[in-house]
Amino acid sequence: MIINSRMRACFGVKTQQLISRVFRHPVHPSAAVGWRLAQSRLLSAGESKPRPSMLKHLTFKIKATGPITVAEYMREVLTNPVTGYYVRNNMLGPDGDFITSPEISQIFGELLGVWILSEWMGAGRPKHLQLVELGPGKGSLASDILRVFSQLKSVLDGCSVSLHLVEVSPVLSGVQAQTLTGGSSVESSSEDDPVFRRGETSAGLPVFWYRCLEDVPAGFSIFIAHEFFDALPIHTFQRTPKGWREVLVDIDPDKQNRLRFVVSPSPTPASSALIQPEERRSHVEVCADGGVLVQQISQRIIEDGGAALIADYGHDGTKTDTFRGFKGHRLHDVLSSPGTADLTADVDFSFLRTMIGGGVACLGPVTQKMFLKNMGIDARMEVLLRNCSDGPTRMQLIRSYDMLMNPEKMGERFLFFSLLHHSRLAKPKKSEGMKLEDKRPAPLPVGGFTEISFS
Ligand code: SAH
């Protein structure tokens, strides 16, 4: 979609009002402005020994059934219910394996909170708003968003808001519960209950935890996925003289307790189904799970209304080999000590767009720098700095801003992509009748994807 100057000019007076109301508030005392240091112990910190159980489990599997796909390897390593990396660890933060934007600065979540409210208003202020977050980490993003909601309580007057978290990790769901409900949540006693934990925020908003999106009830929803799609399993393929072949993970026959990559001698179901006929690259990564997930989200948006914001490092169908591991903030060999390091791959937004089809409108991807600038991060920084006289806190604020915005850091590596109900971008209907001129107003532009003017 091309955003024209008319849309820019009329960009949400309402959104601007929302932003300026949020911006009046100083640094939130409970939301650290720097890396949210020492909020909780990182269970994986200092753990350097490989977990033999994961390697053993994979070795047994490969011995029994032959080499496994990279997708199966990634799924097992990250989300195996017993030994998976995400299932057993709390890996986020300066002492863990990686750090994310919501952990770097409260401003990130605040601006996303404003985006959500602005989209809810753009959808005609439905009576119920389900905020659905996929992979909520420590719960910091949701907590910053909900703080904006409570600052703008009067805007949401008459709307019942609920929070729905999709999380594979029991360890992290406990951390999220502590952040969001102060530890007053309860776990379900039945394994079959789609809601495996439930609680209430101090403001009385209900919070529900699910293992997968299918379990989240239908209803108008805004979906947020920050650094979630990059953790979903990818298939990797290589172009060979005989055609496309899938890369597999096998036991290394020459080294004890080591795995290695091999290329499948013949086509696999994935190599036959997932490579686009017009593909030009020689190595390709395809996240089929990500494709299915965006289709599920689109279907929900079509049926119940709503929007989705997906933010991750990624590309538009141009990159080749991005599969990598992270341990202690350093790159880590993906096949070494499986289960002790994060595994990740850049999100291919062009593939997601192809999978979405035409049922919903897609915006972006745009860079994080552009999205946050358009959402008014500079004005928010000004207010925070104006209200802060403590030298170290000011330095921390400036450092965090640089981390989020600097093109060399997260500013251009992270991309924002949105799915919207088509009605959101359609011109509002005026009464029927004889008219010589079409003077219907343009739809409100979507925050973040176009500039907000603070005149
Ligand atoms: N969004 C957070 C955390 C990112 S880390 C942030 O930006 O700080 C990835 C998160 O997704 C973790 O909470 C992890 O446990 C969760 N996760 C990873 N794979 C998942 C899956 N297949 N299903 C549900 N949650 C998953």
Side-chain angles (χ1 to χ4, degrees):
M1 185 192 115
I2 295 164
I3 293 164
N4 60 35
S5 54
R6 182 151 159 250
M7 291 170 81
R8 183 171 301 210
C10 79
F11 179 71
V13 174
K14 295 224 170 93
T15 306
Q16 286 181 37
Q17 284 166 356
L18 285 184
I19 290 168
S20 51
R21 283 173 63 181
V22 171
F23 285 2
R24 284 203 294 269
H25 295 268
V27 177
H28 188 263
S30 72
V33 289
W35 292 12
R36 290 171 204 253
L37 277 166
Q39 270 190 354
S40 55
R41 238 182 63 68
L42 292 148
L43 308 184
S44 65
E47 200 174 335
S48 57
K49 274 200 213 140
R51 281 185 190 146
S53 52
M54 173 58 80
L55 186 61
K56 231 189 240 169
H57 166 69
L58 291 166
T59 310
F60 279 143
K61 203 177 170 77
I62 295 169
K63 276 187 181 152
T65 61
I68 55 174
T69 64
V70 171
E72 195 171 353
Y73 176 75
M74 213 172 156
R75 183 175 296 114
E76 282 297 321
V77 170
L78 294 182
T79 60
N80 177 289
V82 181
T83 50
Y85 171 79
Y86 280 117
V87 174
R88 288 178 51 148
N89 291 302
N90 176 356
M91 69 300 292
L92 276 151
D95 301 330
D97 293 323
F98 60 97
I99 184 91
T100 59
S101 296
E103 300 301 324
I104 290 171
S105 170
Q106 67 175 75
I107 305 181
F108 186 84
E110 290 172 351
L111 296 177
L112 263 59
V114 172
W115 188 89
I116 293 163
L117 280 184
S118 145
E119 282 315 297
W120 169 77
M121 287 162 73
R125 300 173 182 249
K127 286 265 166 289
H128 301 276
L129 165 60
Q130 294 194 153
L131 172 58
V132 183
E133 189 183 356
L134 307 173
K138 287 185 174 179
S140 310
L141 177 58
S143 161
D144 291 337
I145 291 171
L146 292 186
R147 199 174 55 256
V148 169
F149 284 13
S150 65
Q151 283 161 2
L152 298 173
K153 224 184 324 193
S154 60
V155 175
L156 279 161
D157 196 28
C159 173
S160 74
V161 179
S162 50
L163 180 60
H164 303 261
L165 304 174
V166 177
E167 176 57 73
V168 75
S169 164
V171 173
L172 285 178
S173 81
V175 178
Q176 292 149 19
Q178 189 62 41
T179 309
L180 295 161
T181 69
S184 65
S185 69
V186 285
E187 284 181 77
S188 169
S189 53
S190 161
E191 285 276 303
D192 298 329
D193 192 345
V195 178
F196 73 85
R197 188 191 274 276
R198 64 189 77 219
E200 206 176 87
T201 67
S202 56
L205 299 188
V207 189
F208 305 94
W209 278 263
Y210 313 82
R211 293 174 193 86
C212 57
L213 180 64
E214 286 95 322
D215 291 338
V216 176
F220 178 92
S221 303
I222 307 258
F223 301 88
I224 300 289
H226 181 257
E227 287 221 38
F228 176 77
F229 277 76
D230 71 282
L232 299 179
I234 50 149
H235 288 270
T236 74
F237 304 103
Q238 216 168 287
R239 195 192 286 277
T240 75
K242 290 191 224 139
W244 284 99
R245 293 289 183 268
E246 181 156 15
V247 176
L248 304 172
V249 176
D250 196 4
I251 297 164
D252 190 330
D254 301 327
K255 291 182 200 136
Q256 225 198 340
N257 288 334
R258 287 286 305 174
L259 300 170
R260 62 169 187 173
F261 287 118
V262 293
V263 177
S264 159
S266 49
T268 59
S271 69
S272 311
L274 294 175
I275 299 282
Q276 308 290 323
E278 65 277 11
E279 185 55 63
R280 290 279 161 269
R281 291 167 287 176
S282 56
H283 290 196
V284 180
E285 297 169 339
V286 183
C287 180
D289 285 18
V292 171
L293 193 60
V294 285
Q295 285 178 341
Q296 290 173 344
I297 294 174
S298 309
Q299 202 49 41
R300 282 171 176 256
I301 293 175
I302 293 167
E303 285 166 16
D304 306 311
L309 191 61
I310 300 173
D312 231 305
Y313 34 65
H315 58 96
D316 226 352
T318 48
K319 289 199 184 171
T320 53
D321 302 288
T322 71
F323 183 37
R324 59 203 182 278
F326 276 103
K327 189 170 177 172
H329 300 268
R330 305 184 101 94
L331 279 170
H332 178 86
D333 174 2
V334 287
L335 295 183
S336 142
S337 313
T340 67
D342 185 33
L343 298 181
T344 172
D346 281 14
V347 175
D348 181 346
F349 287 99
S350 71
F351 172 71
L352 296 188
R353 206 184 295 110
T354 307
M355 295 300 284
I356 288 164
V360 293
C362 298
L363 290 186
V366 298
T367 62
Q368 170 157 309
K369 179 173 172 240
M370 178 182 279
F371 183 90
L372 296 180
K373 232 184 175 50
N374 285 344
M375 286 303 300
I377 189 170
D378 292 334
R380 177 59 174 145
M381 265 299 279
E382 242 176 59
V383 174
L384 289 180
L385 287 174
R386 203 181 311 130
N387 292 329
C388 174
S389 51
D390 173 53
T393 310
R394 286 176 71 86
M395 277 309 292
Q396 190 59 267
L397 269 173
I398 293 164
R399 263 205 301 272
S400 315
Y401 175 92
D402 182 60
M403 189 80 167
L404 295 183
M405 298 293 283
N406 189 328
E408 303 289 312
K409 297 177 181 169
M410 292 167 131
E412 285 185 357
R413 281 193 209 146
F414 279 78
L415 302 176
F416 279 67
F417 182 68
S418 175
L419 277 56
L420 301 166
H421 195 275
H422 276 301
S423 64
R424 174 66 180 82
L425 301 177
K427 286 184 174 184
K429 282 213 172 79
K430 267 274 183 88
S431 56
E432 301 288 312
M434 291 277 287
K435 259 184 276 150
L436 295 176
E437 233 185 316
D438 184 1
K439 285 195 176 160
R440 291 176 301 170
L444 283 182
V446 178
F449 294 87
T450 187
E451 195 185 329
I452 304 170
S453 109
F454 282 91
S455 53

